[in-house]
Amino acid sequence: MGNLREKFERVKIQDILSAFTFLSAIPEAIYLKKKRPDMWLICEDKNEARDNGYWLYKYIRSEHPEQDCVYAINKESVDYKKIQNLGEVIQYGGYKHWVYYLAASKNISSQKGGKPNAAVCYVLEVFGILKNKRAFLQHGVICSDMPWCYYENTKMRLFVCGAKKEYDFIKDTYGYPEGYVKYLGLTRFDGLHDFKVKQNQILVMPSWREWIADPTSKSLTLDDMSSFTNTEYYQKWNAFLNSSSIAETLEKYDLKMVFYPHRNMQKYITEFSKASERIIFADWKQYDVQTLLKESALLITDLSSIFMDFGYMRKPMIYYQFDMEKFRKGQYQEGYFEYSRDGFGPVCTKLCQVEENLLKYAMNDLKIEEEYRKREEEFFPLWDTDNCKRNYEAIKEI
């Protein structure tokens, strides 16, 4: 009952209006489908061309130009210029997006909600009204249990995994038919083999908190929602940014720190303050995530799945997990990955532990410890630049 209530609380006027747009798009979609029977539609978040969808689209346009392929993005996005000259691009969420979505033989996205309207498309897909084939490229390697990604809640025809243990967990737990889940590697991993590290750069990337970014009645049971600055998330990360110990370490060892919150929390970035001029607040419109991941020598995060990309590159990291119990109740349930046992760096629950570990890494030139490097190597047995190729071939087969 609680989950159903939350779903209704998230329904917006735009969702209702989109139902009418969907109906009006049907005749043109029928015509387009006859004209272009094997057209693929690819997208990510509406404002992005920087994740697995972008990498796959770029690969197809370069290596398989014969494949009819279209990319959907908000043309006002800063990423539009990256994609506009690669091939056909349409406006995300508009009437044309609906026409192409209904006509496409394959709908491909790095986001479960990567569609003209997530609420309406959920009904069309899960209840079997729309029969097209959908491929989920993923936004990151999953390490938690996420019931909304179960087959009964997606009906995805292809679920791409980026790591072997992740693949085993999803195949055995999420209820997909045999052959629907495949370990292919994430397409963006192809871009992680040519990195050049800035030896003095530390990247700080906290994950998001759903109950803060998109509040419902449940949020009140988890946090003080009277203002963002009253939440534990803000108070702990702001204390981190204002730590005199961290500021001293940065100064003493000539380090700089880039603070880049998850895109769903970027709207709050101006609320934070800092104790050191060596700390940079990174706006997503100006900084590319993959570039930051590639050039940074050390990562500090809580539960963001981008630590998997960092681990794929065999680099060191520190986890700062001050609200794990709350996170498990309000967002992602525990899966196969246990951070103290499987993680790629020390797990800290208190700021003083983060300060100590950061100093330790700084004294050792930000080099990874052998124990953690070995875990990273074992976690990613598939390690090459053929991820886009495998994804393309698997989508072609479905």
Side-chain angles (χ1 to χ4, degrees):
M1 183 66 181
N3 288 338
L4 185 60
R5 179 182 176 182
E6 284 184 69
K7 286 183 184 295
F8 277 117
E9 287 177 350
R10 290 198 171 101
V11 172
K12 300 177 176 64
I13 294 296
Q14 186 59 44
D15 299 328
I16 299 171
L17 295 175
S18 287
F20 293 101
T21 308
F22 149 65
L23 292 172
S24 66
I26 292 175
E28 190 172 341
I30 293 172
Y31 171 76
L32 182 62
K33 192 171 184 65
K34 290 179 179 178
K35 187 178 178 182
R36 300 167 66 174
D38 191 29
M39 182 261 292
W40 295 7
L41 180 61
I42 301 178
C43 70
E44 301 177 347
D45 177 78
K46 66 179 181 180
N47 289 309
E48 291 191 356
R50 59 180 70 181
D51 203 342
N52 294 309
Y54 166 72
W55 278 89
L56 178 64
Y57 184 70
K58 187 169 70 166
Y59 169 82
I60 292 173
R61 298 307 303 147
S62 171
E63 303 300 321
H64 297 280
E66 75 283 358
Q67 176 62 55
D68 188 1
C69 196
V70 181
Y71 195 92
I73 189 174
N74 177 12
K75 293 185 178 181
E76 299 299 316
S77 166
V78 294
D79 284 357
Y80 177 64
K81 60 181 180 293
K82 292 174 60 179
I83 203 91
Q84 62 179 333
N85 296 321
L86 291 181
E88 186 177 0
V89 181
I90 60 171
Q91 174 63 34
Y92 192 108
Y95 172 78
K96 196 169 186 178
H97 192 182
W98 270 111
V99 172
Y100 279 60
Y101 165 79
L102 294 170
S105 65
K106 312 280 174 63
N107 269 294
I108 306 159
S109 179
S110 62
Q111 302 290 324
K112 180 176 176 288
K115 297 147 192 171
N117 180 273
V120 177
C121 293
Y122 173 85
V123 174
L124 295 176
E125 295 170 0
V126 174
F127 289 93
I129 300 170
L130 186 65
K131 302 295 184 181
N132 67 358
K133 298 178 175 68
R134 295 177 298 281
F136 184 36
L137 303 179
Q138 281 214 70
H139 173 55
V141 175
I142 289 175
C143 54
S144 300
D145 189 11
M146 301 179 177
W148 54 92
C149 285
Y150 285 10
Y151 181 68
E152 63 183 19
N153 294 320
T154 72
K155 299 298 172 69
M156 297 286 189
R157 178 57 183 83
L158 175 64
F159 195 119
V160 176
C161 293
K164 179 61 167 62
K165 288 183 179 179
E166 174 203 30
Y167 162 75
D168 292 335
F169 175 68
I170 290 174
K171 179 171 62 70
D172 296 339
T173 308
Y174 280 31
Y176 285 80
E178 186 68 29
Y180 280 35
V181 181
K182 292 185 181 296
Y183 176 31
L184 306 171
L186 303 186
T187 58
R188 68 172 185 251
F189 285 175
D190 281 353
L192 299 180
H193 289 264
D194 62 345
F195 61 90
K196 293 181 180 179
V197 175
K198 294 180 179 178
Q199 295 299 335
N200 71 331
Q201 181 169 300
I202 298 166
L203 177 60
V204 181
M205 289 192 69
S207 188
W208 68 306
R209 299 297 185 271
E210 183 179 32
W211 67 88
I212 298 174
D214 190 12
T216 65
S217 55
K218 182 180 179 180
S219 303
L220 301 176
T221 67
L222 297 169
D223 240 311
D224 182 348
M225 297 299 297
S226 57
S227 72
F228 173 69
T229 56
N230 283 337
T231 64
E232 183 181 18
Y233 178 93
Y234 167 80
Q235 292 176 359
K236 290 297 174 65
W237 280 113
N238 202 56
F240 167 91
L241 293 166
N242 285 278
S243 163
S244 57
S245 173
I246 289 176
E248 185 179 328
T249 297
L250 297 179
E251 190 67 35
K252 182 176 180 179
Y253 292 94
D254 190 25
L255 302 171
K256 76 171 183 177
M257 182 177 281
V258 180
F259 180 65
Y260 186 112
H262 188 282
R263 67 163 179 260
N264 291 344
M265 306 301 282
Q266 282 268 331
K267 58 188 175 183
Y268 303 115
I269 197 169
T270 56
E271 300 285 352
F272 293 96
S273 59
K274 59 185 180 179
S276 172
E277 291 305 312
R278 291 178 173 269
I279 300 176
I280 300 167
F281 286 179
D283 187 309
W284 77 271
K285 294 179 182 178
Q286 299 172 13
Y287 289 81
D288 178 68
V289 173
Q290 190 170 78
T291 299
L292 289 174
L293 290 169
K294 290 168 70 172
E295 67 185 19
S296 298
L298 174 74
L299 172 70
I300 300 176
T301 187
D302 46 11
L303 296 135
S304 174
S305 65
I306 51 85
F307 83 80
M308 293 288 187
D309 296 59
F310 219 72
Y312 184 87
M313 291 183 282
R314 318 304 195 229
K315 295 194 207 177
M317 63 193 72
I318 298 170
Y319 300 101
Y320 183 26
Q321 299 174 343
F322 53 81
D323 64 346
M324 179 63 88
E325 185 178 347
K326 187 185 297 184
F327 187 83
R328 292 302 185 206
K329 288 179 180 178
Q331 196 155 327
Y332 299 154
Q333 289 72 53
E334 186 172 359
Y336 67 95
F337 196 92
E338 207 288 306
Y339 287 87
S340 60
R341 181 193 66 212
D342 305 313
F344 308 144
V347 178
C348 308
T349 58
K350 299 177 180 179
L351 179 57
C352 62
Q353 296 171 324
V354 181
E355 294 167 341
E356 291 168 4
N357 278 286
L358 178 58
L359 177 58
K360 180 181 175 182
Y361 274 114
M363 293 171 65
N364 195 38
D365 298 323
L366 304 184
K367 292 179 181 176
I368 191 170
E369 296 168 81
E370 187 58 32
E371 172 192 0
Y372 297 126
R373 182 180 180 87
K374 185 177 179 181
R375 288 185 189 180
E376 291 172 342
E377 291 174 348
E378 291 176 349
F379 197 79
F380 297 102
L382 202 58
W383 200 76
D384 58 28
T385 56
D386 288 331
N387 298 282
C388 285
K389 181 175 184 290
R390 282 188 294 271
N391 276 257
Y392 170 77
E393 291 174 350
I395 293 170
K396 196 78 173 167
E397 288 176 5
I398 62 176

